[in-house]
């Protein structure tokens, strides 16, 4: 907990104030007062503490009386002492790896040159002298041209040219060919992961991972688009948050691995279309409404200095191409990393993150769709849900004797993350605590057929049955339970993904037998129990035995491009060979979605 006394501006809401002061509070609904996640405890503040209980989401009457409030709905009209839960500051369990092999051939290279000095017989200009020695190339940057004469004369015409393909992007004095680094980054809606790569050896020097700081303005892309629409400077705010995060990453690389930012010459990013737009400052408002068009599917050539990134000023900032508003550079990177466009056999790729992206096909072409799975499978919009951080329940076993669970980092439980929720729902269904329609049985109903060890855990939340996973008496930091609404959220998410898979299969006229491999990308894909995912109908049980977890395949795809320039062409080919299916325009989507809401029969 972080407790501090502070000066306040009259009438400002506490969430906005705390954000401005650099506190990171979960706020999946972006401050609308509906997610119940921005909880803080008021320790001092008479008027605030004496307000009557309004019956709000996320705070019980008992908690209200103990001073718990939603920061977004707490107006600061007096001096307050506030306790801020530390959940955001715990170490996140972020998936950073994935296997791949490439031949090292980066698009950035350095060439050391010992140039003939100018003389009365050779009055060639400095830039032409450089290009003549290289034998090719061009210089497009005025500031670079301005700097070349001094660099050459100060270093006795011994210089290193830095090239991006055929363009000279920099000149350094002396021989600096030994220091050449690139960074690959996956900008996820929830997490950001970057890998520092030595472009002389291909070695991955280090990894930086953190939660996406834009989370304080909403957990999903729709909330963040909403933030840019509702706030005049919203787009700039969200862009700056991610750019600052990049600069913290570069500082970390310098401090931890002794690689200063000035030695980083290429940054390649993967991310969904909204994340790439926000990173580059492109407007996202049109992605939220029909016909969902992005501003661009390709980033223009960007120099680091244009974005204020603290690396080599002319370092190249690139992104994998995007396909549509909801099929972005991350999906292209996953397709690249799994190589499914080269295979004869049919493959299914499912990237379950804050959204669900699905691709299906083989060497003849792919179909792709995005499902509004929502962030429930990452723990958001779940009453006791949280991301995969220390203290999150990540595995649960329910049987007639009761419940066992484990937490990330073996810490006292403070909430439940996506893999834990899938475990809980699958086994609540298997034991009969939940019926096929997703209804949690009341204690009276359950007592007729279920053991007392489970029935005693059935309680009430918001007038509906809930099921307790653990509580303080079992060593948890607080009571952790599954509500009826949580089950509905999971049903909505799993139905969206299952419907997406079904529609792509129908379009391709494929049966489950035709699909040879199912690549599960993303942290969630790596951590969930596949059997439980099939038990709740998140993945078709007919695909059992074909699942291949591929880790953070989006980051893998981004790294492949940093290491080997030819992969950008492959990525371009992927965009041309992938047909996007807009599910919301399909007449049959709603019907298939509703069919998938029920849980499969227990086997
Ligand atoms: S309830 Fe406050 S941010 Fe969602």
């Amino acid at each position: 907990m972080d407790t501090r006394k502070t000066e306040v501006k009259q009438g400002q809401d506490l969430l906005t104030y705390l954000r401005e002061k650099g506190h990171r509070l979960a706020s999946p609904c972006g401050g609308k007062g509906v997610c119940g996640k921005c909880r803080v405890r008021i320790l001092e503040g008479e008027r605030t503490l004496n307000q009557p209980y309004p019956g709000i989401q996320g705070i019980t009457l008992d908690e209200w009386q103990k001073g718990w409030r939603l920061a977004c709905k707490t107006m600061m009209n007096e001096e307050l002492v506030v306790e801020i839960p530390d959940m955001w500051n715990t170490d996140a369990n972020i998936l950073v790896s994935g296997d791949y092999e490439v031949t090292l051939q980066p698009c950035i290279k350095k060439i050391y040159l010992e140039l003939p000095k100018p003389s009365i017989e050779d009055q060639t200009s400095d830039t032409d002298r450089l290009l003549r020695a290289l034998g090719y190339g061009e210089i497009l940057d005025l500031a670079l041209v301005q700097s070349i004469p001094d660099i050459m004369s100060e270093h006795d015409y011994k210089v290193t040219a830095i090239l991006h393909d055929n363009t000279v992007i920099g000149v350094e004095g002396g021989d600096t060919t030994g220091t050449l680094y690139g960074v690959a980054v996956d900008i996820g809606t929830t997490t950001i992961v970057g890998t520092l790569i030595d472009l002389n050896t291909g070695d991955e020097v280090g990894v930086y991972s953190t939660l996406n700081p834009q989370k304080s303005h909403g957990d999903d892309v729709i909330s963040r688009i909403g933030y840019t629409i509702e706030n005049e400077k919203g787009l700039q705010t969200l862009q700056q948050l991610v750019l600052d995060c990049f600069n913290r990453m570069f500082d970390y690389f310098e401090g931890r691995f002794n690689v200063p930012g000035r030695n980083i010459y290429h940054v390649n990013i993967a991310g969904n279309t909204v994340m790439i737009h926000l990173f580059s400052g492109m407007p996202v408002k049109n992605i939220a409404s029909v016909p969902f068009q992005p501003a661009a599917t390709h980033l223009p050539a960007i120099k680091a200095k244009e974005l204020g990134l603290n690396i080599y000023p002319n370092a190249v900032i690139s992104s994998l191409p995007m396909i549509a508003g909801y099929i972005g550079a991350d999906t292209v990177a996953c397709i690249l990393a799994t190589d499914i466009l080269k295979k004869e056999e049919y493959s299914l790729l499912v990237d379950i993150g804050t959204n669900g992206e699905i691709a299906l096909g083989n060497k003849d072409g792919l179909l792709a769709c995005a499902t509004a799975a929502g962030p429930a499978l990452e723990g958001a919009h779940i009453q006791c849900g949280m991301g995969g951080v220390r203290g999150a329940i990540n595995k649960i076993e329910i049987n007639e004797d009761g419940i066992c669970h484990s937490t990330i980092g073996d810490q006292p439980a403070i909430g439940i993350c996506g893999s834990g929720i899938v475990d809980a729902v699958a086994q609540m269904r298997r034991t009969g605590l939940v019926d096929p329609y997703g209804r949690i049985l009341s204690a009276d109903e359950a007592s007729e057929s279920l053991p007392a060890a489970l029935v005693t855990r059935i309680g009430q939340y918001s007038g509906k049955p809930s099921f307790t996973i653990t509580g303080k008496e079992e060593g948890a930091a607080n009571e952790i339970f599954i509500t009826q609404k949580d089950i509905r959220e999971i049903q909505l998410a799993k139905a969206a993904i299952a419907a997406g898979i079904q529609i792509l299969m129908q379009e391709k006229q494929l049966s489950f037998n035709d699909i040879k491999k199912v690549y599960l990308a993303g942290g969630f894909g790596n951590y969930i129990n596949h059997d439980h995912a099939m038990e709740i109908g998140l993945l078709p049980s007919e695909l059992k035995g074909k699942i291949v977890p591929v880790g953070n395949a989006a980051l893998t795809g981004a790294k492949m491009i940093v290491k080997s320039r030819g992969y950008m062409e492959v990525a371009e080919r992927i965009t041309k060979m992938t047909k996007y299916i807009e599910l919301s325009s399909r007449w049959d989507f709603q019907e298939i979605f509703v069919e998938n809401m029920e849980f499969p029969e227990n086997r």
Side-chain angles (χ1 to χ4, degrees):
M1 295 274 181
D2 181 3
T3 309
R4 62 185 64 178
K5 203 164 181 174
T6 186
E7 291 274 310
V8 303
K9 265 191 232 161
Q10 287 279 324
Q12 190 176 30
D13 75 82
L14 188 53
L15 178 65
T16 306
Y17 173 79
L18 290 172
R19 275 181 190 152
E20 283 173 11
K21 293 290 170 195
H23 292 283
R24 296 188 298 167
L25 271 172
S27 49
C29 73
K32 296 196 172 64
V34 293
C35 70
K37 297 290 181 191
C38 60
R39 290 158 49 100
V40 294
R41 191 168 175 197
I42 308 297
L43 301 178
E44 288 175 27
E46 206 186 327
R47 264 179 287 156
T48 309
L49 284 170
N50 286 334
Q51 285 164 345
Y53 179 55
I56 49 172
Q57 174 75 12
I59 310 249
T60 63
L61 174 59
D62 183 44
E63 288 172 329
W64 183 270
Q65 286 164 346
K66 288 178 180 152
W68 286 96
R69 298 288 184 274
L70 296 181
C72 69
K73 292 290 154 206
T74 303
M75 291 303 151
M76 303 200 305
N77 297 317
E78 60 183 329
E79 192 171 286
L80 298 173
V81 178
V82 180
E83 186 177 79
I84 303 164
D86 206 20
M87 284 161 66
W88 261 76
N89 295 324
T90 50
D91 299 336
N93 200 17
I94 299 171
L95 189 64
V96 295
S97 65
D99 291 335
Y100 70 105
E101 248 177 54
V102 298
T103 309
L104 189 63
Q105 207 174 22
C107 64
I108 302 289
K109 64 176 175 248
K110 280 185 169 182
I111 299 175
Y112 175 60
L113 301 164
E114 294 190 1
L115 302 169
K117 291 180 189 159
S119 63
I120 200 71
E121 292 78 27
D122 179 7
Q123 297 181 354
T124 309
S125 74
D126 290 328
T127 51
D128 286 348
R129 186 173 303 276
L130 182 89
L131 295 176
R132 188 178 64 189
L134 282 170
Y136 64 95
E138 57 185 348
I139 302 174
L140 302 174
D141 186 78
L142 176 61
L144 174 59
V145 173
Q146 289 165 339
S147 69
I148 285 175
D150 282 349
I151 295 172
M152 284 186 171
S153 56
E154 281 166 18
H155 293 86
D156 203 23
Y157 288 81
K158 293 175 181 156
V159 295
T160 298
I162 307 154
L163 286 118
H164 172 226
D165 292 328
N166 283 342
T167 304
V168 179
I169 60 165
V171 175
E172 292 172 335
D175 183 355
T176 66
T177 51
T179 50
L180 186 66
Y181 291 89
V183 175
V185 188
D186 171 36
I187 309 177
T189 311
T190 305
T191 57
I192 294 179
V193 188
T195 302
L196 176 66
I197 300 168
D198 185 334
L199 296 179
N200 280 318
T201 63
D203 291 346
E204 292 177 14
V205 179
V207 175
Y208 175 85
S209 61
T210 187
L211 293 169
N212 187 329
Q214 295 170 343
K215 266 173 75 73
S216 55
H217 297 289
D219 261 5
D220 53 36
V221 293
I222 297 297
S223 315
R224 292 191 207 162
I225 294 173
Y227 183 77
T228 70
I229 294 170
E230 287 156 18
N231 296 277
E232 200 188 333
K233 293 230 159 66
L235 177 58
Q236 291 96 313
T237 301
L238 293 186
Q239 182 188 23
Q240 202 54 51
L241 280 171
V242 72
L243 294 177
D244 289 347
C245 179
F246 270 55
N247 281 331
R248 284 193 294 277
M249 170 172 67
F250 301 134
D251 287 346
Y252 172 78
F253 288 151
E254 175 160 14
R256 178 79 175 74
F257 305 109
N258 207 18
V259 174
R262 66 175 178 279
N263 292 147
I264 295 171
Y265 302 91
H266 184 197
V267 175
N268 182 52
I269 55 176
N272 65 49
T273 304
V274 174
M275 291 305 110
I276 303 290
H277 276 55
L278 293 177
F279 169 83
S280 48
M282 295 192 290
V284 285
K285 62 179 190 299
N286 291 338
I287 300 177
S289 52
V290 178
F292 314 115
Q293 86 275 17
T297 51
H298 291 75
L299 277 194
I302 302 177
K303 296 170 188 163
K305 63 186 177 189
E306 293 173 300
L307 293 176
L309 295 176
N310 299 331
I311 54 177
Y312 190 76
N314 280 352
V316 173
I317 311 300
S318 63
S319 153
L320 284 104
M322 298 155 266
I323 293 175
Y326 291 102
I327 290 287
D330 50 353
T331 305
V332 174
C334 288
I335 295 170
L336 179 67
T338 50
D339 214 15
I340 57 179
L341 191 55
K342 274 205 191 139
K343 294 180 174 144
E344 188 84 36
E345 64 191 34
Y346 285 101
S347 308
L348 179 67
L349 167 71
V350 185
D351 184 4
I352 305 173
T354 312
N355 271 336
E357 288 101 17
I358 305 164
L360 173 67
N362 67 354
K363 64 177 180 43
D364 298 324
L366 299 168
L367 294 180
C369 69
T371 61
L377 292 169
E378 293 199 323
H381 301 180
I382 297 292
Q383 183 61 37
C384 298
M386 62 190 303
V389 302
R390 285 158 64 83
I393 295 177
N394 59 346
K395 285 195 175 71
I396 296 174
E397 250 187 70
I398 304 177
N399 58 40
E400 55 190 24
D401 297 327
I403 294 184
C404 307
H405 70 264
S406 64
T407 61
I408 296 172
D410 221 9
Q411 299 291 305
I414 52 174
I416 181 166
C417 68
S419 60
I421 292 159
V422 170
D423 281 357
V425 176
Q427 295 174 91
M428 286 172 74
R429 172 69 201 113
R430 192 195 297 162
T431 51
L433 282 159
V434 163
D435 74 13
Y437 307 103
R439 191 177 62 87
I440 302 178
L441 266 50
S442 68
D444 278 355
E445 287 171 296
S447 63
E448 290 173 16
S449 55
L450 295 178
L454 298 184
V455 176
T456 51
R457 289 178 178 269
I458 298 175
Q460 286 262 318
Y461 184 81
S462 281
K464 301 229 165 86
S466 62
F467 183 70
T468 299
I469 302 296
T470 186
K472 282 191 176 153
E473 63 291 347
E474 293 174 325
N478 40 279
E479 191 184 349
I480 294 159
F481 51 94
I482 304 285
T483 69
Q484 182 61 70
K485 180 171 166 291
D486 295 341
I487 303 275
R488 295 289 179 234
E489 291 282 349
I490 295 298
Q491 283 180 286
L492 291 169
K494 69 105 181 172
I497 290 167
I501 294 174
Q502 208 170 317
I503 285 176
L504 291 193
M505 287 182 61
Q506 278 176 11
E507 279 284 311
K508 278 267 176 202
Q509 300 186 328
L510 295 179
S511 72
F512 289 118
N513 274 343
D514 297 320
I515 297 173
K516 297 296 177 243
K517 290 224 168 72
V518 181
Y519 295 100
L520 269 195
F524 182 75
N526 250 51
Y527 298 128
I528 50 163
N529 178 313
H530 301 158
D531 289 341
H532 289 165
M534 289 176 179
E535 274 181 48
I536 65 169
L538 173 60
L539 296 170
S541 56
E542 293 85 348
L543 295 173
K544 194 173 170 85
K546 298 180 178 179
I547 293 178
V548 184
V550 287
N552 189 339
L555 180 64
T556 303
K559 288 191 284 192
M560 288 165 73
I561 285 179
V562 172
K563 289 188 186 186
S564 200
R565 56 205 293 246
Y567 284 114
M568 194 55 108
E569 278 167 36
V570 181
E572 287 297 340
R573 185 162 173 270
I574 289 169
T575 64
K576 292 190 176 76
M577 295 286 287
T578 304
K579 184 176 163 207
Y580 174 61
I581 306 282
E582 175 56 56
L583 292 180
S584 64
S585 69
R586 296 267 313 206
W587 64 271
D588 52 351
F589 175 72
Q590 203 54 31
E591 199 178 310
I592 296 173
F593 174 77
V594 171
E595 276 167 16
N596 279 285
M597 280 288 286
E598 276 183 32
F599 290 115
E601 278 306 318
N602 275 333
R603 277 176 281 267

